[in-house]
Amino acid sequence: MTSHEKARAFEQAGLKARPSVTREFWLFLRENKKFWLLPPLAALLLLGLIVILGGTAAAPFIYSLF
């Protein structure tokens, strides 16, 4: 492969659409067999959702669950 072909291949790779953060995270989990990270991540997302909804009109409904 000549340097010109390498440069062209590099440019074409840069023009490809980048995967989303969630897609990239899923590919990381699948490649490295780190599926144990999913439950802590789900718990953190759920906790964040509760905190965000705690400051809205949905707060009375959330507090009644606890």
Side-chain angles (χ1 to χ4, degrees), residues 13-55:
L15 294 175
K16 287 184 182 177
R18 293 181 57 188
S20 67
V21 173
T22 53
R23 176 82 174 143
E24 193 169 336
F25 186 66
W26 174 251
L27 292 174
F28 165 77
L29 292 177
R30 196 173 69 184
E31 179 74 23
N32 294 305
K33 308 280 192 274
K34 302 239 184 238
F35 295 110
W36 59 269
L37 287 173
L38 288 176
L41 180 67
L44 285 174
L45 290 174
L46 184 63
L47 182 63
L49 182 67
I50 289 173
V51 167
I52 289 172
L53 291 177

